[in-house]
Amino acid sequence: MKKQNLLGAIALTTVAAAAAGATQAQQYTVNHSAVGGSTVQAAATVASEIKLAAPANKGVLGLAVTPSKSAILPGGNSILTFTLQGGHTFGTNLTPGAIVAGGTCAPTTTISSGGLAADSTVSFLISGLGGCNNANPILAAIPAQLANTTSALNVATTFKTELGTAIDGGSASLNNVVKFAPAFKVTVTADTVTTAATLASGFKALTADVALGTVVVSVAANSKGIDDVTRVAVNADVTKADFKFVGTQTTKGVTLKYDATAVPTTGLLSVANPVTLPGVITAVAGGDPIAASTYTVDTTLTVDAAYNAPAATGAQSLQSITREGTTYLIPWVASGTLAVSSGNATVIRISNIGTGTSGAVSAELLTSSTGVAPSTSLINLSSGIAKNGELIITGQSLQTAFGADFGRGDVRLTVEAQPATLITRRFIQNVANGSLTEVSLGRSAGGVEPQN
């Protein structure tokens, strides 16, 4: 009986201890710390273009493992484990000195497992935690070596007794200790004031506004590495920009240039220190007839040797150069597909009563009931309308030109000719019997209904 009473007493003591522990166990946290010798003492954003070579890719993470306010840490041995996530490693063999004394928290430390340069996990055997508490966290200076510039460096931790019992919640993590973002960005914005070859000049001169767009090279102050996160990307790290213009350009027709100081070019234009320039792309007339054309610019940056060259932007749209003429805004045009299902088709008739062949006829899709994206450039419908000839445009021909069933949409038509030389009408045709009903054409680009 005495043996049974003794065992019962032991069992009660164990239960009481477990219950006391359950009420105390909350959750420790892991956060940044300005630990001496650490180079990353707060969340850092590193330029994704940096070269992964020493010293830029090697640094030291300053971390604080802070017990909860009610935590009672064990007097015996405990195991504190740090794991670097995102594919990154320590890059340097750890020593027990990675656990740094601070305030009243000065534990005795040895390395239990891991911690080699090629590892990403290290476990410390720690004792003497009596002076560690919510106001005096366990401090660590953990070396890190970046393995890539795509996966954020996170730190996961576990805190257990030597026998594996969770201490103060048992685990915590700190995300985005180091994350990555581009330091260099090229933004192209198309100009919105029409640039056109003028009718009066025989399409040899341009309208007053010759800007086709702007190019802005911006530099974000992201770190050049984790060896010193206060060393950041600056404008001077972009040493040159190459602009490749695509569109109809000829020596005596039209050429494009970057900024008023640049030499006109029909191909690749190199500009040093582009961030110090206005960045306006302009058109220059050369004396020959200017073709209507869509223009793009592809930008390639040359950067400081600390970085890998960012990828070229690819073709980005500038404003198109048009030819002056007559523009009609036509609402609620039915596509060919919708005409079949609804029984009513849109027909637009443009007649040329001028003394010669008109210029080209083009279209732009402005809105769509089916979600087709608006046109980003002129869609050619005809190279011109012969003298005393006509051009018939239908919902089906527009659907074919736009390459998609746009349902009902608003369409802008442009004819390279003076309004007085054109007669333009819009009809609704009954698909079943072919009868035509004339309806409002819409309005001109000037905002009034045409009176042809």
Side-chain angles (χ1 to χ4, degrees):
M1 288 294 294
K2 289 183 179 180
K3 184 174 182 181
Q4 290 176 342
N5 287 340
L6 179 60
L7 288 174
I10 293 174
L12 287 172
T13 302
T14 303
V15 171
T23 59
Q24 294 170 355
Q26 293 185 20
Q27 179 64 59
Y28 73 89
T29 59
V30 57
N31 216 318
H32 302 280
S33 176
V35 176
S38 60
T39 59
V40 181
Q41 301 179 350
T45 300
V46 173
S48 57
E49 300 93 344
I50 67 160
K51 291 182 177 177
L52 289 177
N57 68 332
K58 300 186 72 173
V60 179
L61 313 179
L63 301 171
V65 176
T66 305
S68 60
K69 290 184 178 181
S70 61
I72 298 176
L73 302 182
N77 292 334
S78 60
I79 305 282
L80 179 59
T81 300
F82 294 87
T83 299
L84 304 185
Q85 297 176 325
H88 310 288
T89 62
F90 298 123
T92 301
N93 292 338
L94 277 85
T95 67
I99 302 298
V100 181
T104 61
C105 185
T108 300
T109 307
T110 60
I111 292 180
S112 173
S113 64
L116 297 178
D119 292 338
S120 58
T121 297
V122 61
S123 296
F124 294 99
L125 182 66
I126 300 177
S127 60
L129 294 174
C132 304
N133 50 50
N134 184 257
N136 294 273
I138 304 169
L139 302 179
I142 305 297
Q145 177 174 308
L146 301 178
N148 60 70
T149 57
T150 54
S151 301
L153 191 163
N154 304 325
V155 177
T157 64
T158 59
F159 195 15
K160 300 179 180 180
T161 66
E162 195 172 16
L163 296 178
T165 302
I167 299 173
D168 199 15
S171 64
S173 61
L174 180 61
N175 294 330
N176 294 324
V177 178
V178 177
K179 63 180 181 179
F180 305 95
F184 309 112
K185 181 180 179 181
V186 178
T187 303
V188 176
T189 304
D191 189 64
T192 57
V193 179
T194 299
T195 299
T198 61
L199 274 170
S201 70
F203 302 123
K204 293 181 180 181
L206 293 167
T207 50
D209 182 88
V210 294
L212 300 187
T214 58
V215 178
V216 176
V217 180
S218 55
V219 179
N222 295 333
S223 300
K224 292 186 178 182
I226 61 171
D227 58 323
D228 178 5
V229 294
T230 65
R231 192 169 54 91
V232 297
V234 295
N235 285 359
D237 287 337
V238 180
T239 58
K240 189 176 69 169
D242 293 329
F243 302 103
K244 185 176 182 181
F245 300 116
V246 177
T248 303
Q249 300 179 82
T250 63
T251 304
K252 293 184 179 181
V254 65
T255 57
L256 302 189
K257 68 177 183 179
Y258 177 90
D259 162 74
T261 64
V263 178
T265 179
T266 58
L268 193 65
L269 171 65
S270 296
V271 180
N273 296 319
V275 285
T276 65
L277 297 179
V280 180
I281 305 296
T282 58
V284 181
D288 281 352
I290 298 166
S293 181
T294 297
Y295 292 91
T296 62
V297 59
D298 185 359
T299 307
T300 302
L301 300 181
T302 301
V303 293
D304 181 85
Y307 304 96
N308 294 302
T313 61
Q316 293 180 285
S317 295
L318 296 168
Q319 185 184 49
S320 298
I321 291 180
T322 63
R323 285 181 165 187
E324 279 186 337
T326 305
T327 299
Y328 304 102
L329 301 176
I330 305 178
W332 231 42
V333 175
S335 68
T337 299
L338 182 59
V340 172
S341 62
S342 67
N344 293 293
T346 295
V347 179
I348 300 164
R349 171 184 178 272
I350 305 176
S351 298
N352 177 15
I353 59 173
T355 58
T357 301
S358 77
V361 181
S362 58
E364 298 164 87
L365 181 64
L366 305 181
T367 64
S368 165
S369 65
T370 60
V372 177
S375 302
T376 57
S377 60
L378 298 171
I379 307 297
N380 184 264
L381 300 180
S382 170
S383 60
I385 306 172
K387 176 184 176 181
N388 300 325
E390 66 178 10
L391 175 67
I392 303 298
I393 302 169
T394 66
Q396 182 56 56
S397 66
L398 288 171
Q399 178 173 325
T400 300
F402 295 138
D405 173 17
F406 54 87
R408 287 200 184 275
D410 299 321
V411 174
R412 177 162 51 208
L413 297 178
T414 300
V415 185
E416 295 174 5
Q418 295 285 10
T421 67
L422 302 172
I423 297 176
T424 303
R425 291 285 185 262
R426 178 189 181 186
F427 303 92
I428 298 298
Q429 183 178 43
N430 183 284
V431 175
N433 60 30
S435 62
L436 295 174
T437 303
E438 185 172 353
V439 296
S440 169
L441 181 66
R443 63 186 178 92
S444 70
V448 297
E449 187 171 333
Q451 301 297 317
N452 289 335

